[in-house]
Amino acid sequence: DAKTTQPTSMDCAEGRAANLPCNHSTISGNEYVYWYRQIHSQGPQYIIHGLKNNETNEMASLIITEDRKSSTLILPHATLRDTAVYYCIVRVAVYSGGGADGLTFGKGTHLIIQP
Amino acid sequence: EPEVTQTPSHQVTQMGQEVILRCVPISNHLYFYWYRQILGQKVEFLVSFYNNEISEKSEIFDDQFSVERPDGSNFTLKIRSTKLEDSAMYFCASRGLAHEQYFGPGTRLTVT
């Protein structure tokens, strides 16, 4: 799996968009970018993933640069409940099966939403 | 919305005792995982399980650990002889079609 680099911590005001960057300059062509978060003492939570196109779901948007060497997770209207550690993980996803893919969690970004 | 469940939420055991942590993965998922998180540290992968056998395991998953899918719904992690350093949160996960993993709320294991 490609290595990722994320800032250690970030602050964001409640109601504003939170933009969390991730660098993955060694990403391979068949590797996807996945985002998870862990709210204090809870299990990690899947947020979103993408290959090269921008993606949006009910939780967030994922913007991947054209060269795929970096991405940004966007929480459009952050709330206090979005305070968590956010993990960017790059790995292969083979839709036709195969691979046991245990996740490797780094230190992530501790996002603190300020009231 | 389907979710992964785990029981118990908190288990206290004495050193040397056996513990079994239980998980019910999302019903149509085929890949299952156990992770652990020692207090203040990163989430660490332990083992993955598919088609009734271990697919991958980490260095942490030594002979003291075993996993089993005893029936069509439960997935268990057994620690045969617990040590103080086994105290941690243990998370079960199951995998969706896009290889995204859904985690349970965890079991806090305290070894005294």
Side-chain angles (χ1 to χ4, degrees), chain A residues 40-101:
Chain A
H40 181 62
S41 296
Q42 298 182 22
Q45 179 187 22
Y46 164 76
I47 301 173
I48 198 168
H49 76 283
L51 180 63
K52 55 183 178 180
N53 297 319
N54 298 337
E55 302 288 344
T56 295
N57 63 18
E58 65 279 3
M59 289 183 66
S61 295
L62 174 60
I63 308 298
I64 302 173
T65 58
E66 192 168 341
D67 63 7
R68 303 210 320 124
K69 292 185 177 182
S70 66
S71 59
T72 301
L73 178 74
I74 301 172
L75 308 179
H77 305 287
T79 70
L80 297 178
R81 288 176 296 180
D82 292 321
T83 292
V85 180
Y86 287 76
Y87 300 97
C88 169
I89 298 173
V90 171
R91 60 184 306 113
V92 175
V94 180
Y95 282 81
S96 57
D101 60 332

Side-chain angles (χ1 to χ4, degrees), chain B residues 7-105:
Chain B
T7 55
S9 57
H10 190 189
Q11 174 90 48
V12 180
T13 189
Q14 289 190 326
M15 196 167 49
Q17 295 297 304
E18 174 183 287
V19 294
I20 298 176
L21 310 183
R22 290 181 168 80
C23 168
V24 179
I26 294 173
S27 62
N28 60 344
H29 288 181
L30 302 177
Y31 286 83
F32 315 117
Y33 307 82
W34 283 101
Y35 294 81
R36 80 171 185 191
Q37 186 175 33
I38 295 170
L39 185 64
Q41 298 187 22
K42 294 186 288 187
V43 176
E44 300 174 290
F45 166 71
L46 292 178
V47 66
S48 59
F49 191 84
Y50 169 71
N51 200 25
N52 280 322
E53 60 183 29
I54 290 173
S55 298
E56 182 186 11
K57 60 183 180 180
S58 71
E59 292 179 354
I60 303 167
F61 193 87
D62 60 22
D63 292 343
Q64 297 281 17
F65 293 90
S66 62
V67 290
E68 190 179 27
R69 186 155 165 83
D71 54 44
S73 59
N74 289 284
F75 179 50
T76 62
L77 174 69
K78 181 192 293 186
I79 309 175
R80 288 190 182 82
S81 178
T82 50
K83 303 186 281 270
L84 294 176
E85 53 265 39
D86 293 327
S87 294
M89 284 290 289
Y90 287 81
F91 296 108
C92 172
S94 64
R95 196 185 87 180
L97 288 176
H99 287 221
E100 76 280 23
Q101 294 186 20
Y102 298 92
F103 287 76

